[in-house]
PDB file of all heavy atoms in Angstrom:
ATOM      1  N   ARG A 132      28.178 -34.909  17.482  1.00  0.00           N
ATOM      2  CA  ARG A 132      29.029 -33.796  17.897  1.00  0.00           C
ATOM      3  C   ARG A 132      28.212 -32.520  18.074  1.00  0.00           C
ATOM      4  O   ARG A 132      27.416 -32.166  17.199  1.00  0.00           O
ATOM      5  CB  ARG A 132      30.106 -33.579  16.835  1.00  0.00           C
ATOM      6  CG  ARG A 132      31.263 -32.723  17.301  1.00  0.00           C
ATOM      7  CD  ARG A 132      32.367 -32.727  16.281  1.00  0.00           C
ATOM      8  NE  ARG A 132      33.541 -32.030  16.796  1.00  0.00           N
ATOM      9  CZ  ARG A 132      34.512 -31.562  16.033  1.00  0.00           C
ATOM     10  NH1 ARG A 132      34.460 -31.710  14.720  1.00  0.00           N
ATOM     11  NH2 ARG A 132      35.553 -30.939  16.561  1.00  0.00           N
ATOM     12  N   PHE A 133      28.421 -31.850  19.190  1.00  0.00           N
ATOM     13  CA  PHE A 133      27.740 -30.577  19.462  1.00  0.00           C
ATOM     14  C   PHE A 133      28.731 -29.429  19.344  1.00  0.00           C
ATOM     15  O   PHE A 133      29.885 -29.534  19.758  1.00  0.00           O
ATOM     16  CB  PHE A 133      27.140 -30.567  20.870  1.00  0.00           C
ATOM     17  CG  PHE A 133      26.592 -29.229  21.267  1.00  0.00           C
ATOM     18  CD1 PHE A 133      25.346 -28.815  20.819  1.00  0.00           C
ATOM     19  CD2 PHE A 133      27.337 -28.359  22.057  1.00  0.00           C
ATOM     20  CE1 PHE A 133      24.845 -27.561  21.155  1.00  0.00           C
ATOM     21  CE2 PHE A 133      26.842 -27.108  22.403  1.00  0.00           C
ATOM     22  CZ  PHE A 133      25.590 -26.715  21.948  1.00  0.00           C
ATOM     23  N   MET A 134      28.266 -28.333  18.764  1.00  0.00           N
ATOM     24  CA  MET A 134      29.072 -27.120  18.699  1.00  0.00           C
ATOM     25  C   MET A 134      28.149 -25.906  18.717  1.00  0.00           C
ATOM     26  O   MET A 134      26.943 -26.028  18.461  1.00  0.00           O
ATOM     27  CB  MET A 134      29.975 -27.114  17.462  1.00  0.00           C
ATOM     28  CG  MET A 134      29.248 -27.265  16.157  1.00  0.00           C
ATOM     29  SD  MET A 134      30.292 -27.939  14.821  1.00  0.00           S
ATOM     30  CE  MET A 134      30.221 -29.688  15.183  1.00  0.00           C
ATOM     31  N   ALA A 135      28.707 -24.756  19.001  1.00  0.00           N
ATOM     32  CA  ALA A 135      27.914 -23.529  19.059  1.00  0.00           C
ATOM     33  C   ALA A 135      28.823 -22.346  18.756  1.00  0.00           C
ATOM     34  O   ALA A 135      30.048 -22.443  18.870  1.00  0.00           O
ATOM     35  CB  ALA A 135      27.279 -23.365  20.439  1.00  0.00           C
ATOM     36  N   PHE A 136      28.219 -21.237  18.358  1.00  0.00           N
ATOM     37  CA  PHE A 136      29.018 -20.028  18.133  1.00  0.00           C
ATOM     38  C   PHE A 136      28.148 -18.781  18.225  1.00  0.00           C
ATOM     39  O   PHE A 136      26.920 -18.843  18.104  1.00  0.00           O
ATOM     40  CB  PHE A 136      29.747 -20.073  16.790  1.00  0.00           C
ATOM     41  CG  PHE A 136      28.856 -20.111  15.571  1.00  0.00           C
ATOM     42  CD1 PHE A 136      28.278 -18.950  15.058  1.00  0.00           C
ATOM     43  CD2 PHE A 136      28.617 -21.311  14.921  1.00  0.00           C
ATOM     44  CE1 PHE A 136      27.479 -18.995  13.920  1.00  0.00           C
ATOM     45  CE2 PHE A 136      27.818 -21.366  13.783  1.00  0.00           C
ATOM     46  CZ  PHE A 136      27.245 -20.198  13.281  1.00  0.00           C
ATOM     47  N   ALA A 137      28.806 -17.666  18.460  1.00  0.00           N
ATOM     48  CA  ALA A 137      28.159 -16.346  18.484  1.00  0.00           C
ATOM     49  C   ALA A 137      28.976 -15.396  17.624  1.00  0.00           C
ATOM     50  O   ALA A 137      30.181 -15.245  17.827  1.00  0.00           O
ATOM     51  CB  ALA A 137      28.062 -15.818  19.913  1.00  0.00           C
ATOM     52  N   ILE A 138      28.310 -14.772  16.651  1.00  0.00           N
ATOM     53  CA  ILE A 138      28.947 -13.780  15.771  1.00  0.00           C
ATOM     54  C   ILE A 138      28.044 -12.555  15.710  1.00  0.00           C
ATOM     55  O   ILE A 138      26.912 -12.595  16.213  1.00  0.00           O
ATOM     56  CB  ILE A 138      29.196 -14.350  14.350  1.00  0.00           C
ATOM     57  CG1 ILE A 138      27.884 -14.835  13.723  1.00  0.00           C
ATOM     58  CG2 ILE A 138      30.235 -15.460  14.398  1.00  0.00           C
ATOM     59  CD1 ILE A 138      28.026 -15.314  12.289  1.00  0.00           C
ATOM     60  N   PRO A 139      28.483 -11.454  15.108  1.00  0.00           N
ATOM     61  CA  PRO A 139      27.632 -10.262  15.062  1.00  0.00           C
ATOM     62  C   PRO A 139      26.294 -10.536  14.376  1.00  0.00           C
ATOM     63  O   PRO A 139      26.205 -11.317  13.432  1.00  0.00           O
ATOM     64  CB  PRO A 139      28.462  -9.257  14.257  1.00  0.00           C
ATOM     65  CG  PRO A 139      29.875  -9.695  14.460  1.00  0.00           C
ATOM     66  CD  PRO A 139      29.824 -11.186  14.548  1.00  0.00           C
ATOM     67  N   PHE A 140      25.246  -9.892  14.859  1.00  0.00           N
ATOM     68  CA  PHE A 140      23.896 -10.048  14.311  1.00  0.00           C
ATOM     69  C   PHE A 140      23.876  -9.668  12.837  1.00  0.00           C
ATOM     70  O   PHE A 140      24.468  -8.675  12.426  1.00  0.00           O
ATOM     71  CB  PHE A 140      22.919  -9.159  15.080  1.00  0.00           C
ATOM     72  CG  PHE A 140      21.496  -9.229  14.577  1.00  0.00           C
ATOM     73  CD1 PHE A 140      20.684 -10.292  14.906  1.00  0.00           C
ATOM     74  CD2 PHE A 140      20.983  -8.219  13.766  1.00  0.00           C
ATOM     75  CE1 PHE A 140      19.379 -10.359  14.447  1.00  0.00           C
ATOM     76  CE2 PHE A 140      19.685  -8.279  13.295  1.00  0.00           C
ATOM     77  CZ  PHE A 140      18.878  -9.352  13.635  1.00  0.00           C
ATOM     78  N   GLY A 141      23.198 -10.481  12.032  1.00  0.00           N
ATOM     79  CA  GLY A 141      23.041 -10.201  10.610  1.00  0.00           C
ATOM     80  C   GLY A 141      21.589 -10.365  10.212  1.00  0.00           C
ATOM     81  O   GLY A 141      20.839 -11.125  10.833  1.00  0.00           O
ATOM     82  N   SER A 142      21.171  -9.654   9.171  1.00  0.00           N
ATOM     83  CA  SER A 142      19.778  -9.644   8.750  1.00  0.00           C
ATOM     84  C   SER A 142      19.649 -10.073   7.296  1.00  0.00           C
ATOM     85  O   SER A 142      20.539  -9.832   6.476  1.00  0.00           O
ATOM     86  CB  SER A 142      19.190  -8.239   8.921  1.00  0.00           C
ATOM     87  OG  SER A 142      17.882  -8.157   8.400  1.00  0.00           O
ATOM     88  N   VAL A 143      18.522 -10.723   6.971  1.00  0.00           N
ATOM     89  CA  VAL A 143      18.207 -11.050   5.576  1.00  0.00           C
ATOM     90  C   VAL A 143      18.134  -9.777   4.749  1.00  0.00           C
ATOM     91  O   VAL A 143      18.561  -9.731   3.596  1.00  0.00           O
ATOM     92  CB  VAL A 143      16.875 -11.824   5.499  1.00  0.00           C
ATOM     93  CG1 VAL A 143      16.434 -12.006   4.048  1.00  0.00           C
ATOM     94  CG2 VAL A 143      16.990 -13.175   6.211  1.00  0.00           C
ATOM     95  N   ALA A 144      17.585  -8.702   5.354  1.00  0.00           N
ATOM     96  CA  ALA A 144      17.414  -7.423   4.660  1.00  0.00           C
ATOM     97  C   ALA A 144      18.305  -6.365   5.292  1.00  0.00           C
ATOM     98  O   ALA A 144      18.438  -6.301   6.518  1.00  0.00           O
ATOM     99  CB  ALA A 144      15.957  -6.979   4.733  1.00  0.00           C
ATOM    100  N   ASN A 145      18.904  -5.511   4.468  1.00  0.00           N
ATOM    101  CA  ASN A 145      19.713  -4.414   4.998  1.00  0.00           C
ATOM    102  C   ASN A 145      18.826  -3.221   5.361  1.00  0.00           C
ATOM    103  O   ASN A 145      17.596  -3.258   5.176  1.00  0.00           O
ATOM    104  CB  ASN A 145      20.818  -4.022   4.009  1.00  0.00           C
ATOM    105  CG  ASN A 145      20.267  -3.542   2.673  1.00  0.00           C
ATOM    106  OD1 ASN A 145      19.217  -2.896   2.595  1.00  0.00           O
ATOM    107  ND2 ASN A 145      20.987  -3.840   1.594  1.00  0.00           N
ATOM    108  N   LYS A 146      19.427  -2.169   5.860  1.00  0.00           N
ATOM    109  CA  LYS A 146      18.660  -1.022   6.350  1.00  0.00           C
ATOM    110  C   LYS A 146      17.797  -0.406   5.260  1.00  0.00           C
ATOM    111  O   LYS A 146      16.612  -0.099   5.470  1.00  0.00           O
ATOM    112  CB  LYS A 146      19.623   0.029   6.925  1.00  0.00           C
ATOM    113  CG  LYS A 146      18.909   1.233   7.534  1.00  0.00           C
ATOM    114  CD  LYS A 146      19.908   2.214   8.135  1.00  0.00           C
ATOM    115  CE  LYS A 146      19.177   3.419   8.730  1.00  0.00           C
ATOM    116  NZ  LYS A 146      20.133   4.402   9.301  1.00  0.00           N
ATOM    117  N   GLU A 147      18.363  -0.230   4.081  1.00  0.00           N
ATOM    118  CA  GLU A 147      17.596   0.361   2.975  1.00  0.00           C
ATOM    119  C   GLU A 147      16.408  -0.517   2.612  1.00  0.00           C
ATOM    120  O   GLU A 147      15.291  -0.025   2.393  1.00  0.00           O
ATOM    121  CB  GLU A 147      18.501   0.540   1.746  1.00  0.00           C
ATOM    122  CG  GLU A 147      17.769   1.103   0.527  1.00  0.00           C
ATOM    123  CD  GLU A 147      18.537   0.911  -0.767  1.00  0.00           C
ATOM    124  OE1 GLU A 147      19.727   0.557  -0.718  1.00  0.00           O
ATOM    125  OE2 GLU A 147      17.912   1.087  -1.831  1.00  0.00           O
ATOM    126  N   GLN A 148      16.622  -1.827   2.535  1.00  0.00           N
ATOM    127  CA  GLN A 148      15.546  -2.747   2.173  1.00  0.00           C
ATOM    128  C   GLN A 148      14.454  -2.774   3.230  1.00  0.00           C
ATOM    129  O   GLN A 148      13.267  -2.901   2.910  1.00  0.00           O
ATOM    130  CB  GLN A 148      16.128  -4.140   1.957  1.00  0.00           C
ATOM    131  CG  GLN A 148      17.024  -4.240   0.728  1.00  0.00           C
ATOM    132  CD  GLN A 148      17.880  -5.488   0.715  1.00  0.00           C
ATOM    133  OE1 GLN A 148      18.069  -6.149   1.753  1.00  0.00           O
ATOM    134  NE2 GLN A 148      18.421  -5.839  -0.446  1.00  0.00           N
ATOM    135  N   LEU A 149      14.839  -2.645   4.497  1.00  0.00           N
ATOM    136  CA  LEU A 149      13.854  -2.611   5.567  1.00  0.00           C
ATOM    137  C   LEU A 149      12.974  -1.362   5.477  1.00  0.00           C
ATOM    138  O   LEU A 149      11.797  -1.387   5.853  1.00  0.00           O
ATOM    139  CB  LEU A 149      14.551  -2.657   6.934  1.00  0.00           C
ATOM    140  CG  LEU A 149      15.191  -3.995   7.317  1.00  0.00           C
ATOM    141  CD1 LEU A 149      16.013  -3.842   8.589  1.00  0.00           C
ATOM    142  CD2 LEU A 149      14.126  -5.067   7.509  1.00  0.00           C
ATOM    143  N   GLU A 150      13.533  -0.285   4.993  1.00  0.00           N
ATOM    144  CA  GLU A 150      12.772   0.962   4.893  1.00  0.00           C
ATOM    145  C   GLU A 150      11.849   0.982   3.676  1.00  0.00           C
ATOM    146  O   GLU A 150      10.709   1.431   3.770  1.00  0.00           O
ATOM    147  CB  GLU A 150      13.736   2.145   4.846  1.00  0.00           C
ATOM    148  CG  GLU A 150      14.462   2.377   6.168  1.00  0.00           C
ATOM    149  CD  GLU A 150      15.541   3.446   6.076  1.00  0.00           C
ATOM    150  OE1 GLU A 150      15.797   3.933   4.942  1.00  0.00           O
ATOM    151  OE2 GLU A 150      16.124   3.792   7.125  1.00  0.00           O
ATOM    152  N   ARG A 151      12.317   0.484   2.528  1.00  0.00           N
ATOM    153  CA  ARG A 151      11.513   0.553   1.296  1.00  0.00           C
ATOM    154  C   ARG A 151      10.801  -0.745   0.970  1.00  0.00           C
ATOM    155  O   ARG A 151       9.868  -0.782   0.179  1.00  0.00           O
ATOM    156  CB  ARG A 151      12.402   0.933   0.108  1.00  0.00           C
ATOM    157  CG  ARG A 151      13.519  -0.060  -0.189  1.00  0.00           C
ATOM    158  CD  ARG A 151      14.056   0.119  -1.601  1.00  0.00           C
ATOM    159  NE  ARG A 151      15.332  -0.552  -1.797  1.00  0.00           N
ATOM    160  CZ  ARG A 151      15.457  -1.850  -2.075  1.00  0.00           C
ATOM    161  NH1 ARG A 151      14.381  -2.622  -2.135  1.00  0.00           N
ATOM    162  NH2 ARG A 151      16.658  -2.376  -2.255  1.00  0.00           N
ATOM    163  N   GLY A 152      11.209  -1.847   1.589  1.00  0.00           N
ATOM    164  CA  GLY A 152      10.636  -3.148   1.294  1.00  0.00           C
ATOM    165  C   GLY A 152      11.474  -3.914   0.286  1.00  0.00           C
ATOM    166  O   GLY A 152      12.098  -3.334  -0.607  1.00  0.00           O
ATOM    167  N   LEU A 153      11.492  -5.210   0.415  1.00  0.00           N
ATOM    168  CA  LEU A 153      12.292  -6.083  -0.431  1.00  0.00           C
ATOM    169  C   LEU A 153      11.620  -6.347  -1.779  1.00  0.00           C
ATOM    170  O   LEU A 153      10.392  -6.328  -1.901  1.00  0.00           O
ATOM    171  CB  LEU A 153      12.507  -7.424   0.262  1.00  0.00           C
ATOM    172  CG  LEU A 153      13.541  -7.458   1.391  1.00  0.00           C
ATOM    173  CD1 LEU A 153      13.235  -8.589   2.346  1.00  0.00           C
ATOM    174  CD2 LEU A 153      14.946  -7.613   0.810  1.00  0.00           C
ATOM    175  N   HIS A 154      12.453  -6.617  -2.778  1.00  0.00           N
ATOM    176  CA  HIS A 154      11.995  -7.112  -4.081  1.00  0.00           C
ATOM    177  C   HIS A 154      12.270  -8.607  -4.100  1.00  0.00           C
ATOM    178  O   HIS A 154      13.426  -9.035  -4.050  1.00  0.00           O
ATOM    179  CB  HIS A 154      12.746  -6.403  -5.205  1.00  0.00           C
ATOM    180  CG  HIS A 154      12.389  -6.901  -6.568  1.00  0.00           C
ATOM    181  ND1 HIS A 154      13.132  -6.606  -7.695  1.00  0.00           N
ATOM    182  CD2 HIS A 154      11.369  -7.697  -7.005  1.00  0.00           C
ATOM    183  CE1 HIS A 154      12.583  -7.183  -8.755  1.00  0.00           C
ATOM    184  NE2 HIS A 154      11.524  -7.852  -8.367  1.00  0.00           N
ATOM    185  N   VAL A 155      11.198  -9.397  -4.150  1.00  0.00           N
ATOM    186  CA  VAL A 155      11.294 -10.855  -4.092  1.00  0.00           C
ATOM    187  C   VAL A 155      10.828 -11.449  -5.412  1.00  0.00           C
ATOM    188  O   VAL A 155       9.861 -10.971  -6.008  1.00  0.00           O
ATOM    189  CB  VAL A 155      10.431 -11.404  -2.933  1.00  0.00           C
ATOM    190  CG1 VAL A 155      10.444 -12.925  -2.926  1.00  0.00           C
ATOM    191  CG2 VAL A 155      10.920 -10.863  -1.599  1.00  0.00           C
ATOM    192  N   ALA A 156      11.513 -12.487  -5.869  1.00  0.00           N
ATOM    193  CA  ALA A 156      11.086 -13.214  -7.063  1.00  0.00           C
ATOM    194  C   ALA A 156      10.613 -14.605  -6.658  1.00  0.00           C
ATOM    195  O   ALA A 156      11.168 -15.226  -5.747  1.00  0.00           O
ATOM    196  CB  ALA A 156      12.230 -13.329  -8.066  1.00  0.00           C
ATOM    197  N   ILE A 157       9.572 -15.084  -7.335  1.00  0.00           N
ATOM    198  CA  ILE A 157       9.086 -16.445  -7.113  1.00  0.00           C
ATOM    199  C   ILE A 157       9.803 -17.368  -8.085  1.00  0.00           C
ATOM    200  O   ILE A 157       9.697 -17.223  -9.301  1.00  0.00           O
ATOM    201  CB  ILE A 157       7.567 -16.538  -7.307  1.00  0.00           C
ATOM    202  CG1 ILE A 157       6.847 -15.629  -6.303  1.00  0.00           C
ATOM    203  CG2 ILE A 157       7.099 -17.983  -7.129  1.00  0.00           C
ATOM    204  CD1 ILE A 157       5.347 -15.538  -6.525  1.00  0.00           C
ATOM    205  N   SER A 158      10.553 -18.311  -7.550  1.00  0.00           N
ATOM    206  CA  SER A 158      11.280 -19.281  -8.363  1.00  0.00           C
ATOM    207  C   SER A 158      10.392 -20.487  -8.643  1.00  0.00           C
ATOM    208  O   SER A 158       9.519 -20.829  -7.844  1.00  0.00           O
ATOM    209  CB  SER A 158      12.551 -19.727  -7.629  1.00  0.00           C
ATOM    210  OG  SER A 158      13.133 -20.849  -8.241  1.00  0.00           O
TER     211      SER A 158
END
Side-chain angles (χ1 to χ4, degrees):
R132 196 172 187 199
F133 172 80
M134 57 204 81
F136 63 81
I138 57 176
F140 179 78
S142 174
V143 172
N145 61 35
K146 183 178 180 181
E147 178 196 348
Q148 292 165 343
L149 289 172
E150 291 173 354
R151 61 161 165 82
L153 284 155
H154 177 194
V155 176
I157 299 173
S158 168

